[in-house]
Amino acid sequence: SQQGEEDPQALSIQEGENATMNCSYKTSINNLQWYRQNSGRGLVHLILIRSNEREKHSGRLRVTLDTSKKSSSLLITASRAADTASYFCATGDTGRRALTFGSGTRLQVQP
Amino acid sequence: DVKVTQSSRYLVKRTGEKVFLECVQDMDHENMFWYRQDPGLGLRLIYFSYDVKMKEKGDIPEGYSVSREKKERFSLILESASTNQTSMYLCASRPPASGANVLTFGAGSRLTVL
């Protein structure tokens, strides 16, 4: 089952600009996570936000969570060419041991 | 750092062949997972295991089986490969009841079935 849907599917920006990606999900969750995937590689965990949190920061990353709208956003500030990757949201809930992933946003940062 | 190693980065197999994808983790994690990744579909869970010899079906188990004989190793088996199983396969692991189910992924195995 596809829980999270990212928007947009693809995003192209210039270095130094901010990048915002959105994720919507369908069921109740315990937490929502964002992962990054460089081309042809595995996923790397970026940040986790719990269902009772509204906003979280980690370096240049800012994540928000709106459980009433079942949506989250990932903001990358002052983007760099090295941020070029695909970004996935993933949700976890008590009824399921495994995370459910969305389809991802491909971010291209032009130098 | 936790390391999850997938033994084959690229494989090319023929229709009907039996295929083994191996995954090993070095941090004594109880939980291990196999996902497949296809363009536009994201990651879909095939199987997972929460202990040695224990397994549960994910969302798309058809055509696959798994083996977990040792805690560190979780194998995905395609009994008779088909072209629609051409995909990127990702293995992941995490510790038990960690409160936050953060996954550590391997680098992936890209399988092409001709």
Side-chain angles (χ1 to χ4, degrees):
Chain A
S1 59
Q2 202 72 9
Q3 166 76 308
E5 295 294 333
E6 282 92 339
D7 169 51
Q9 288 187 329
L11 180 61
S12 182
I13 59 173
Q14 296 294 125
E15 218 168 16
E17 293 180 340
N18 295 343
T20 300
M21 288 158 267
N22 303 296
C23 169
S24 60
Y25 58 91
K26 296 173 185 172
T27 63
S28 296
I29 61 171
N30 283 344
N31 64 78
L32 186 142
Q33 303 175 36
W34 286 90
Y35 288 77
R36 167 196 168 122
Q37 182 183 36
N38 288 346
S39 180
R41 307 295 294 183
L43 280 70
V44 176
H45 179 257
L46 292 176
I47 193 167
L48 177 149
I49 186 165
R50 298 185 190 279
S51 58
N52 60 355
E53 297 175 311
R54 291 296 165 259
E55 188 170 312
K56 201 159 184 181
H57 297 253
S58 177
R60 292 184 296 112
L61 304 181
R62 174 180 165 246
V63 171
T64 62
L65 179 64
D66 186 337
T67 53
S68 66
K69 294 181 180 178
K70 291 187 168 57
S71 67
S72 172
S73 67
L74 171 67
L75 169 68
I76 304 174
T77 60
S79 63
R80 306 166 181 167
D83 294 329
T84 293
S86 291
Y87 293 82
F88 293 85
C89 68
T91 53
D93 60 59
T94 53
R96 188 175 161 92
R97 293 176 189 259
L99 293 179
T100 303
F101 286 83
S103 52
T105 292
R106 291 189 312 279
L107 173 65
Q108 176 79 40
V109 181
Q110 308 285 353
Chain B
D1 279 352
V2 177
K3 197 162 185 182
V4 178
T5 303
Q6 294 183 232
S7 55
S8 302
R9 290 280 285 127
Y10 300 95
L11 302 96
V12 179
K13 298 292 181 181
R14 298 213 172 269
T15 301
E17 279 192 75
K18 191 168 187 175
V19 181
F20 292 87
L21 299 180
E22 305 287 345
C23 175
V24 176
Q25 50 93 4
D26 65 359
M27 281 298 289
D28 206 34
H29 284 177
E30 266 76 6
N31 298 280
M32 297 187 74
F33 307 83
W34 275 106
Y35 288 87
R36 70 174 275 178
Q37 182 180 18
D38 300 287
L41 296 177
L43 279 72
R44 293 178 292 166
L45 181 67
I46 305 172
Y47 266 98
F48 66 96
S49 169
Y50 50 91
D51 203 348
V52 175
K53 297 190 187 294
M54 306 301 287
K55 60 187 179 185
E56 281 194 28
K57 293 180 180 179
D59 299 314
I60 52 163
E62 297 78 19
Y64 303 95
S65 62
V66 290
S67 172
R68 184 107 182 261
E69 295 298 318
K70 292 185 177 181
K71 193 175 188 180
E72 66 270 19
R73 187 180 298 272
F74 190 36
S75 303
L76 180 69
I77 304 157
L78 288 68
E79 295 288 343
S80 177
S82 63
T83 54
N84 62 13
Q85 292 178 309
T86 291
S87 187
M88 171 73 118
Y89 290 88
L90 293 164
C91 175
S93 73
R94 71 166 175 86
S98 61
N101 44 357
V102 173
L103 298 180
T104 300
F105 280 87
S109 298
R110 185 167 293 282
L111 172 67
T112 301
V113 182
L114 303 175

